[in-house]
Amino acid sequence: MAEHSVSESHTSAPSIENVPKKKPIAIITIGMAGAGKSTFVSRLNSYLHSQDPPTPPYILNLDPAVTHLPYEPNIDIRDTVSYKEVMKQYNLGPNGGILTALNLFTTKFDQVLDLVEKRADTVDYIVLDTPGQIEIFTWSASGSIITTSLASSLPSVIAYIVDTPRTTSPATFMSNMLYACSILYKTKLPFIVVFNKTDVQDAGFAMEWMRDWEEFQGALNSGNGNGMTDGEGEPTYMSSLMNSMSLVLDEFYKNLTATAVSSRTGDGFSDFLAAVEASREEYEKDYLPEILAAQEIRAKTLDQVKQDSMNRAMEDMKLDKEKNPGRFGDRFDGTEAEDDEIEEEYDEYDDENEEIGLVDRSEERGPGEYIDLTRPTATRTHPTQARSQNQRRTEAGTGGGEGVNWPRPG
Ligand SMILES: Nc1nc2c(ncn2[C@@H]2O[C@H](COP(=O)(O)OP(=O)(O)O)[C@@H](O)[C@H]2O)c(=O)[nH]1
Ligand SMILES: [Mg+2]
């Protein structure tokens, strides 16, 4: 048998008594629409509140289009951006509206991080609920920015929520796992697959398929007469492809933890939290060094680019001086001692060029208008302020003021 162990966790939730305060861990829930992300966040919230002592999480709702949430988030994208307003003002459909709303919110994510970091001493878990449609978060720049900036300041883990009753067919199961695999590859963060809705469908079959690929291939091939073999009994192209992919997935399963929960009944949440705690160590050991190294490389590359353009400018200026000695006059003799002065000249020169070379189109009007979504203008109510202004109007009975209104109920 081709067995290996999918790390399942069976220990109970960690006690926080007598343990020095660790950094909070960010749990980013991701999953297909309807998999139960919001319900999961809600159950996790009530589960953590019911602990002794209670460990209330800090929750961020990043779904601008949700009409009802089964929990009270600490930060709600809907308070900052009105996705309907975004749709109206930028002539977008629902998906474009949600995506743009998330983009707008992301421009303020540094403020969100500040708020989150302020809670680091009192909170153990930061929980993120993401938009219903998975691709809005997983295939957008905003999703990557949010994930990366969180992961570079706090231990972070992906909770990939699976709708278990909907993945009992081997082909659907494989599609779902391939998607999970692509997210692991993109985020490079510790990964927990959460088989949800176990009150409706036990997740034993999924755990077994992950533990033993021969079992899974057996299930795949049991669909004989279902397009898996041709008229002569030979495996079809589709069958061979699925068999090969199941081998790829076998490798993927070795890198993740699987837990089974019911967000309806609360079953399995202690196992989930134990898996989160294990991910913290994984993050610190395997992921953090990589994140820091990547940051260092980025900083070095930036420095290099700056240095290169400075060197080129200095060369140009020396040539310029040779051709036209008047420009730098008597002050320039090409010695190192004079380099600082040249840099100052260069800076002035550069500043002038900035004004000439760059075009800011945000104030322009007309057909083909370029809209700088990050800049509020005097002539239109910016969608990021729409709701907070309304709120302030209601609260104060007057027109709205400036600034961003961040709700902090907790
Ligand atoms: N039976 C059952 N239903 C669930 C569970 N979790 C979520 N649901 C239902 O699945 C539907 C989608 O849930 P929701 O949290 O809105 O999904 P999201 O789009 O991923 O946020 C809702 O009708 C929930 O009541 C669960 O553990 N068991
Ligand atoms: Mg939801």
Side-chain angles (χ1 to χ4, degrees), residues 82-92 100 104 369 371 373 377 379-386:
S82 157
Y83 103 99
K84 288 211 169 130
E85 197 64 28
V86 170
M87 276 171 68
K88 234 191 309 180
Q89 293 193 2
Y90 302 114
N91 266 332
L92 298 168
T100 308
L104 286 166
E369 180 183 5
I371 304 165
L373 296 174
T377 65
T379 49
R380 85 175 167 241
T381 310
H382 197 260
T384 60
Q385 294 174 336

Side-chain angles (χ1 to χ4, degrees), residues 23-294:
K23 270 188 164 187
I25 186 162
I27 302 170
I28 305 169
T29 60
I30 292 180
M32 306 285 177
K37 298 178 289 295
S38 303
T39 318
F40 174 82
V41 170
S42 162
R43 173 59 67 182
L44 183 60
N45 185 27
S46 54
Y47 184 85
L48 289 169
H49 269 94
S50 70
Q51 296 297 286
D52 185 22
T55 51
Y58 194 75
I59 307 180
L60 278 70
N61 169 44
L62 302 183
D63 188 351
V66 69
T67 48
H68 166 75
L69 276 182
Y71 57 86
E72 182 74 21
N74 296 75
I75 294 177
D76 192 340
I77 186 172
R78 295 175 303 166
D79 288 317
T80 313
V81 195
S82 157
Y83 103 99
K84 288 211 169 130
E85 197 64 28
V86 170
M87 276 171 68
K88 234 191 309 180
Q89 293 193 2
Y90 302 114
N91 266 332
L92 298 168
N95 278 339
I98 298 171
L99 183 61
T100 308
L102 188 66
N103 287 343
L104 286 166
F105 182 77
T106 306
T107 62
K108 298 182 171 167
F109 202 70
D110 54 336
Q111 294 176 43
V112 177
L113 266 183
D114 284 348
L115 290 175
V116 167
E117 277 164 1
K118 269 187 205 143
R119 299 301 191 94
D121 291 337
T122 50
V123 166
D124 288 333
Y125 302 96
I126 315 288
V127 185
L128 275 76
D129 189 6
T130 55
Q133 288 86 344
I134 190 166
E135 68 276 13
I136 289 179
F137 193 76
T138 55
W139 293 102
S140 66
S142 306
S144 316
I145 293 168
I146 290 174
T147 311
T148 317
S149 42
L150 254 184
S152 48
S153 74
L154 293 175
S156 306
V157 56
I158 304 291
Y160 185 75
I161 316 291
V162 177
D163 189 333
T164 316
R166 280 174 173 265
T167 45
T168 51
S169 114
T172 315
F173 181 80
M174 190 162 67
S175 308
N176 213 330
M177 289 300 115
L178 284 171
Y179 205 102
C181 186
S182 72
I183 296 171
L184 173 78
Y185 181 72
K186 252 172 91 73
T187 60
K188 300 187 174 64
L189 283 175
F191 205 89
I192 305 174
V193 175
V194 182
F195 290 103
N196 189 29
K197 309 193 185 180
T198 53
D199 55 301
V200 179
Q201 167 70 56
D202 186 83
F205 75 95
M207 296 293 188
E208 197 51 34
W209 284 349
M210 292 174 85
R211 194 174 294 128
D212 181 356
W213 63 266
E214 283 183 353
E215 184 91 13
F216 181 65
Q217 285 200 332
L220 269 177
N221 294 329
S222 67
N224 279 353
N226 211 1
M228 303 310 264
T229 50
D230 61 18
E232 287 155 21
E234 291 295 311
T236 58
Y237 165 71
M238 192 49 79
S239 147
S240 316
L241 179 67
M242 282 171 80
N243 280 339
S244 313
M245 286 200 294
S246 70
L247 283 177
V248 171
L249 284 176
D250 192 52
E251 202 54 40
F252 165 57
Y253 298 151
K254 289 176 190 161
N255 277 315
L256 55 82
T257 308
T259 56
V261 306
S262 164
S263 301
R264 180 152 292 171
T265 65
D267 231 32
F269 274 77
S270 62
D271 282 357
F272 171 76
L273 284 175
V276 167
E277 211 44 45
S279 300
R280 175 198 292 280
E281 282 155 35
E282 203 184 327
Y283 167 89
E284 273 156 15
K285 195 164 104 327
D286 299 336
Y287 293 84
L288 189 59
E290 236 179 76
I291 291 168
L292 295 178

